[in-house]
Amino acid sequence: MPLILAATPIGDPRDAAPRLAEVLASAEVVAAEDTRRLRRLCAALDVTPTGRVLSYHEHNEAARTADLVEAVAKGESVVLVTDAGMPSVSDPGYRVVRACVDADLPVTCVPGPSAVLMALAVSGLPVDRFCFEGFLPRKDGERRRVLEELAHERRTMVFFEAPHRLATALSAMAEVFGPDRPAAVCRELTKTYEEVRRGGLAELAEWAVEGARGEITVVVSGLPSGVGVMTLEEASARVAELVASGVRRKEAAAQVAAETGLSKKALYDSGLTSPPSP
């Protein structure tokens, strides 16, 4: 029997795939990120697990992975569920999948709701090409470094974010990607207070200061086609050239920002901190 990754609803339990109830009822082992949430889900689905129920979360997955792999190797049916969505996607699961693959054991899944795909679909942003970036780092420097690496990404980008860090994250995106870069903040998808807020990054950051609650997915447009790819250092040099030719720094920063898609503020500030040219 394979390891079964079972997607769970991201909000409304009625979105559960019919096969989810079947595998939860019949599995010999059910590994859950939160066993209390599993009980609530099973109650909503009117199903009672008959196998062993184990906890499997970020604090014990390293130690418990071997037990799950051993169970799969013995031919037991093992189902892994997380609190919402697909296991291993910004949730526990990658360790045991990797371990099963390394042991040449089968892995399959029960598909289901996805916050990433739903947010993309309702965002109003291009969906022909996209990338999922998960959660941004919590520390300011690390967050900025990751965003600067994505400054030239042309695909639509999808992020998860905690509500208490949303305003800070959107402000950082506005600085690196530009204040007018189109984006959408999707919160509480499929739940009673579902909300999709669309606008430029700076506008959304200002809105988020008042506080946003619930599970949040952020969708950000990629760098527009036709906009030149240039590093911040190269763009800052271009600003310096324009200033040397007599263009006001504010106007030079705005011009280069429009040419490159980089943040006007970052370009303006870089000129203030850069050493003078010889």
Side-chain angles (χ1 to χ4, degrees):
M1 298 292 290
L3 169 70
I4 303 173
L5 307 176
T8 54
I10 59 176
D12 193 327
R14 293 173 299 178
D15 294 332
R19 195 153 58 95
L20 176 61
E22 295 177 16
V23 298
L24 288 175
S26 62
E28 293 169 275
V29 179
V30 178
E33 182 179 10
D34 187 328
T35 56
R36 294 167 299 180
R37 289 202 182 192
L38 173 66
R39 284 197 293 271
R40 290 198 292 271
L41 175 62
C42 287
L45 300 179
D46 193 24
V47 61
T48 301
T50 56
R52 306 193 310 275
V53 175
L54 308 174
S55 64
Y56 188 79
H57 46 71
E58 61 178 333
H59 302 297
N60 73 358
E61 63 175 322
R64 186 146 282 176
T65 290
D67 296 334
L68 298 183
V69 174
E70 181 181 359
V72 175
K74 288 164 52 178
E76 294 183 302
S77 56
V78 178
V79 173
L80 175 62
V81 294
T82 52
D83 293 343
M86 180 63 71
S88 81
V89 180
S90 288
D91 276 330
Y94 173 75
R95 285 178 183 268
V96 67
V97 170
R98 185 68 255 174
C100 283
V101 170
D102 290 343
D104 199 24
L105 296 172
V107 179
T108 188
C109 76
V110 174
S114 166
V116 173
L117 294 180
M118 181 174 176
L120 275 167
V122 302
S123 69
L125 298 173
V127 296
D128 52 334
R129 298 177 68 234
F130 68 90
C131 59
F132 173 59
E133 296 296 328
F135 286 94
L136 288 169
R138 299 183 182 186
K139 295 183 178 179
D140 292 343
E142 294 178 8
R143 183 193 303 115
R144 187 174 186 87
R145 175 184 57 77
V146 170
L147 291 174
E148 287 178 348
E149 291 175 355
L150 294 169
H152 300 132
E153 176 59 67
R154 296 197 183 276
R155 295 171 294 179
T156 297
M157 296 168 282
V158 185
F159 303 86
F160 287 160
E161 194 49 86
H164 62 281
R165 293 197 298 268
L166 179 62
T168 301
L170 289 171
S171 295
M173 290 179 187
E175 288 185 10
V176 177
F177 299 155
D180 299 323
R181 180 77 72 89
V185 176
C186 309
R187 70 177 199 89
E188 294 293 88
L189 292 173
T190 77
K191 300 177 185 177
T192 303
Y193 298 104
E194 176 179 313
E195 180 182 16
V196 180
R197 196 91 176 193
R198 305 175 182 87
L201 283 169
E203 175 190 345
L204 291 172
E206 184 177 350
W207 162 77
V209 169
E210 299 179 4
R213 298 180 179 179
E215 302 289 334
I216 293 171
T217 305
V218 179
V219 186
V220 182
S221 178
L223 185 69
S225 59
V227 176
V229 175
M230 189 179 292
T231 66
L232 180 59
E233 183 178 0
E234 292 169 339
S236 298
R238 172 63 177 151
V239 171
E241 290 176 5
L242 291 171
V243 171
S245 69
V247 179
R248 294 176 56 195
R249 183 175 301 281
K250 183 177 181 180
E251 295 171 354
Q255 178 181 326
V256 177
E259 294 172 353
T260 63
L262 295 173
S263 164
K264 180 170 64 177
K265 182 179 185 301
L267 290 168
Y268 183 89
D269 292 346
S270 68
L272 299 177
T273 57
S274 299
S277 302

